[in-house]
Amino acid sequence: MQTRIIDGNAIARDLRVGLIRRVAALAAMGVRPGLAVLQVGDHPASRIYVRNKMKACGEAGLYSEHIELPAEADESTLLGRIRILNQDARIHGILVQLPLPAGFSAERVVEALAPAKDVDGFHPTNVGLLTLGNPRFVPCTPLGVMRLIEREEIDVQGRHAVVVGRSNIVGKPMALLLLQRGATVTICNSRTPDLGAMTSQADILVVAAGRPRLVTARMVKPGAVVIDVGITRLADGKLAGDVDFQSVLGTASCITPVPGGVGPMTIAMLLENTVMSAERTSAGRGSP
Ligand code: GUN
């Protein structure tokens, strides 16, 4: 079987063109969408992610603020900054880059965000709305995966989707979105006994376990759609996904590469959530 490689860069580029139009429509009403990114400490991967987010904001015409606090800052300082941003009319989206240094409670920090500005979709109110099938902000990575699936015209209704990963950021919301679209969903994790017996039943397989090359061809049903969310830098400096890409070529019907698959979609969805927040505010539906 010829495996189609899904070009996340091209799809994200396309989506950004649509976003730039929405930004222009807001500009005509005197509104510029604004995103604040809070970063605590100097986690090396976070530094790169945050830089990419800020760059993408600039390119799409969004206002952005990058607020950096030292790892030694105390949690109350971070909570204070969040409270100020919650009230700041220039800011429509607030993102606290995770992970936070030891000693911070991500739960308390996320709960301090105004739900109407929580463009990551991590606040319990937004998690609850997604669970109830009435989402407001959906976490960017799983939202990006759904956009890829839509763009590739992949049928979800009635298919068996297997999600490997149970994180609040990807695995759980991913499963909910697939469920909402009519899939039969199984959630596994890297410690599931005989993981291959589960994954090989999937029509749609989403892998977000953070374990490089965990999934090999023998764990994939012929013709399955394989979405690889993992990205790990190996000792030799190369980037690897959670799927052994080379081995799965010829088995899957289509697959996302790493890099260039899900990654670019995550940032596009962050911009989209921020623009949506500004649109909601300008329509009078944005109060916390
Ligand atoms: N760290 C890794 N992924 C994410 C994300 O989607 N949002 C935030 N805030 N931090 C992250």
Side-chain angles (χ1 to χ4, degrees):
M1 172 179 297
Q2 178 83 16
T3 303
R4 190 169 79 247
I5 297 170
I6 300 174
D7 186 347
N9 280 318
I11 297 172
R13 232 184 347 258
D14 244 33
L15 292 174
R16 285 199 214 177
V17 171
L19 274 179
I20 287 168
R21 275 192 220 110
R22 286 164 68 183
V23 172
L26 283 166
M29 296 189 286
V31 177
R32 187 173 184 204
L35 175 71
V37 177
L38 289 142
Q39 186 187 349
V40 187
D42 201 20
H43 190 275
S46 291
R47 178 153 294 283
I48 297 167
Y49 291 144
V50 170
R51 193 175 59 212
N52 291 341
K53 287 169 185 176
M54 307 310 287
K55 183 165 169 268
C57 279
E59 287 168 359
L62 273 67
Y63 168 71
S64 63
E65 282 183 22
H66 179 192
I67 297 157
E68 289 182 87
L69 297 176
E72 312 75 51
D74 51 24
E75 192 177 296
S76 61
T77 306
L78 176 60
L79 296 178
R81 296 303 287 263
I82 292 172
R83 284 191 201 103
I84 292 168
L85 292 165
N86 283 345
Q87 302 299 327
D88 185 336
R90 290 170 306 174
I91 298 298
H92 304 93
I94 308 170
L95 177 153
V96 181
Q97 188 65 30
L98 301 176
L100 288 166
F104 283 78
S105 157
E107 203 177 318
R108 270 196 302 267
V109 168
V110 166
E111 283 183 19
L113 297 167
K117 295 190 178 186
D118 166 37
V119 285
D120 257 331
F122 294 167
H123 189 281
T125 298
N126 289 317
V127 175
L129 287 169
L130 172 62
T131 308
L132 292 169
N134 181 26
R136 175 170 47 190
F137 293 118
V138 175
C140 301
T141 299
L143 183 60
V145 171
M146 294 312 287
R147 283 294 147 75
L148 282 180
I149 287 174
E150 275 160 29
R151 282 295 179 117
E152 293 293 309
E153 298 182 346
I154 293 161
D155 245 355
V156 175
Q157 174 83 37
R159 317 229 12 228
H160 185 188
V162 175
V163 178
V164 184
R166 55 181 163 172
S167 70
N168 291 331
I169 295 181
V170 185
K172 286 183 205 165
M174 187 75 251
L176 286 167
L177 289 169
L178 290 162
L179 197 62
Q180 209 178 317
R181 291 284 302 275
T184 299
V185 181
T186 302
I187 310 174
C188 307
N189 60 76
S190 58
R191 294 185 186 172
T192 298
D194 198 358
L195 181 63
M198 298 287 185
T199 57
S200 57
Q201 292 176 44
D203 301 309
I204 300 169
L205 176 59
V206 182
V207 193
R211 298 281 182 95
R213 298 179 187 151
L214 174 71
V215 171
T216 55
R218 64 164 194 83
M219 300 163 74
V220 174
K221 179 169 156 179
V225 172
V226 178
I227 308 284
D228 189 351
V229 181
I231 185 160
T232 305
R233 192 167 293 280
L234 302 176
D236 64 4
K238 289 192 182 135
L239 290 173
D242 287 358
V243 178
D244 185 356
F245 183 83
Q246 288 302 331
S247 95
V248 169
L249 289 178
T251 301
S253 61
C254 53
I255 185 168
T256 57
V258 176
V262 174
M265 295 298 290
T266 298
I267 292 192
M269 293 303 99
L270 174 64
L271 299 179
E272 183 171 305
N273 279 349
T274 306
V275 170
M276 184 180 83
S277 181
E279 288 168 344
R280 289 173 56 89
T281 304
S282 68
R285 289 182 290 125
S287 60

